[in-house]
Amino acid sequence: MPDTAVVTGAARGIGRAIATRLAREGWQVVVADLDATELQSVADETGALAVPGDTSTDAGVRHLVDTAYDHLGHVDVFFANAGIGTLKGLDASDDEWARTLETNVLAHVRAARHLVPRWLDAGGGRLVVTASAAGLLTMLGDAPYSVSKHAAVSFAEWLSATYRHRGIVVQAICPQGVQTRMLDGSGPLKDLLTLDATLTPDEVADAAWRALATDQFYVLPHPEVSGYYEQRAAHPDAWLAGTNRLQQKLDHQAQTSTTPTQENA
C-alpha cells in the first residue's frame, strides 16, 4: 500500500475528510487549499504539511508538487479534489466559465504534467480525481460545473488509457449529494441533489480509501449512479426526457416561490 499523498481542496468537505482518513491510517500527507487559515487547522489536526495556494494555476501546482516531493521524498497518490460551482446556466460569464474550467479540469491537467514524468521514472503513481456524478450524468442549474466535470472524467479516462500499462493508476470519484458547503449553498437544487441518500464527507473518504486497494477507474460512493449511467448510455432520449421533467419541477418551484399571492400582491 502506498503511504504518501497530496490532497487539494483539503480545507473542508471531502478533501478534509480524505486527508484525515489518510493520516489516521499512518500516511504522510501534504494538504493544499486557497483558505490558508482552515488549511492550517487541518494540518494541525492531522500532522500534514499545509501548502496554501491556488492549485488551478500552473505556478500553484508546480509549487505544490515540488514542495511535496521535498517534504515527502516521493508522492504515491495525488488527490485532485479541489472544485467549484457557479449555480448558473447561460447567464454564467466568460470569467466564471474560465475559472470553473481552470479549477475543475485544467488543474488536473497541470498536476499530471508535473507528476506523470516523475511517476514514470519511479515505476508508478496514482491520480485520484474528484469528478462528481455530474461528470457521468449532468448537473441541472449549473452549466459550467456540469461541463467541467464531464471534461474532468474525460481527461482522467484519457490519462488511464494512455499510461495504465506503465504503472499509472487513475481513478475518478463520482458522488452525488454530499454534506458540504457546496451542497448547503445549492439553493433550489438541494432537493434534487438529495433525492438519493446524502453522504457525509467521511463516507466518501471511506470509499476513496477502499478504492486505493484496487485499480478500478470509477469510484461510486452512491452505487445507484451506476444504474443511472447505464440508463443514460442505453436510452439517451428517455434519460434526457426524464432529466427535463426534473428541470420542469425546478422551474415550477422557482415560479411558485417568486409569484406573489393575491393577498400580498
Side-chain angles (χ1 to χ4, degrees):
M1 176 72 76
D3 64 0
T4 64
V6 175
V7 185
T8 69
R12 58 185 62 85
I14 294 172
R16 184 175 192 139
I18 289 174
T20 300
R21 178 60 188 268
L22 294 174
R24 191 166 70 243
E25 298 292 343
W27 285 39
Q28 299 179 73
V29 183
V30 171
V31 291
D33 201 283
L34 277 171
D35 189 334
T37 301
E38 283 297 312
L39 187 68
Q40 189 58 52
S41 173
V42 176
D44 292 341
E45 292 174 4
T46 62
L49 174 68
V51 184
D54 187 353
T55 56
S56 71
T57 67
D58 185 67
V61 172
R62 185 188 305 112
H63 174 66
L64 173 61
V65 171
D66 288 346
T67 302
Y69 270 88
D70 288 343
H71 179 69
L72 301 172
H74 62 282
V75 173
D76 295 314
V77 186
F78 189 96
F79 286 89
N81 172 75
I84 60 173
T86 68
L87 295 181
K88 292 185 178 181
L90 295 178
D91 55 331
S93 68
D94 286 357
D95 286 345
E96 288 170 319
W97 273 97
R99 180 62 176 161
T100 305
L101 291 168
E102 292 278 355
T103 304
N104 294 359
V105 187
L106 290 176
H108 305 167
V109 176
R110 290 162 179 150
R113 282 181 187 149
H114 292 289
L115 289 163
V116 169
R118 301 188 197 221
W119 285 343
L120 292 175
D121 288 341
R126 183 181 300 250
L127 178 68
V128 183
V129 171
T130 302
S132 166
L136 300 179
L137 307 171
T138 195
M139 175 67 167
L140 294 174
D142 199 328
Y145 185 83
S146 182
V147 171
S148 64
K149 290 300 185 179
H150 274 272
V153 169
S154 182
F155 176 68
E157 288 177 339
W158 178 88
L159 204 63
S160 178
T162 303
Y163 291 105
R164 62 167 47 205
H165 67 293
R166 300 180 66 183
I168 308 298
V169 178
V170 184
Q171 295 175 296
I173 305 175
C174 299
Q176 291 196 108
V178 182
Q179 295 170 17
T180 63
R181 183 179 296 185
M182 185 176 290
L183 180 65
D184 291 339
S186 61
L189 292 175
K190 187 171 184 178
D191 288 343
L192 174 63
L193 295 172
T194 55
L195 286 175
D196 294 311
T198 304
L199 301 183
T200 66
D202 287 341
E203 289 174 310
V204 178
D206 288 343
W209 172 255
R210 292 191 297 270
L212 291 177
T214 77
D215 291 346
Q216 68 187 63
F217 181 78
Y218 287 121
V219 181
L220 304 179
H222 293 83
E224 54 268 33
V225 169
S226 178
Y228 299 153
Y229 188 44
E230 291 174 1
Q231 175 72 12
R232 175 181 179 270
H235 308 285
D237 288 311
W239 181 81
L240 284 169
T243 305
N244 178 252
R245 285 192 290 273
L246 292 174
Q247 179 64 56
Q248 292 179 56
K249 290 182 180 179
L250 289 174
D251 292 346
H252 178 70
Q253 290 174 2
Q255 291 170 358
T256 55
S257 65
T258 58
T259 301
T261 65
Q262 188 172 14
E263 292 156 337
N264 62 21

